[in-house]
């Protein structure tokens, strides 16, 4: 389980770098930013609430 958590943290760091959101301090995969960046990366349309 620790390996999976570590992989999520690395993936989140990569997404923040890719989408130039590195100034965002929260690095928790439970954050809304992680959800939004994952959806964008997968090509899933954002909901209005997420977009705002």
């Amino acid at each position: 389980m620790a390996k999976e958590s570590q992989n999520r943290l690395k993936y989140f760091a990569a997404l923040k770098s890719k989408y130039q959101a590195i100034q965002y301090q929260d690095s928790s995969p439970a954050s809304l930013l992680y959800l939004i960046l994952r959806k964008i990366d997968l090509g899933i349309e954002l909901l209005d609430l997420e977009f705002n």
Side-chain angles (χ1 to χ4, degrees), residues 27-40:
S27 61
S28 168
S31 73
L32 183 58
L33 179 63
Y34 181 62
L35 170 70
I36 290 169
L37 292 179
R38 282 185 61 214
K39 286 181 83 170
I40 290 170

Side-chain angles (χ1 to χ4, degrees), residues 9-27:
L9 288 173
K10 287 180 183 179
Y11 181 55
F12 190 21
L15 287 175
K16 288 193 320 185
S17 179
K18 179 178 180 178
Y19 293 104
Q20 301 173 1
I22 54 176
Q23 71 278 4
Y24 188 78
Q25 297 300 313
D26 186 1
S27 61

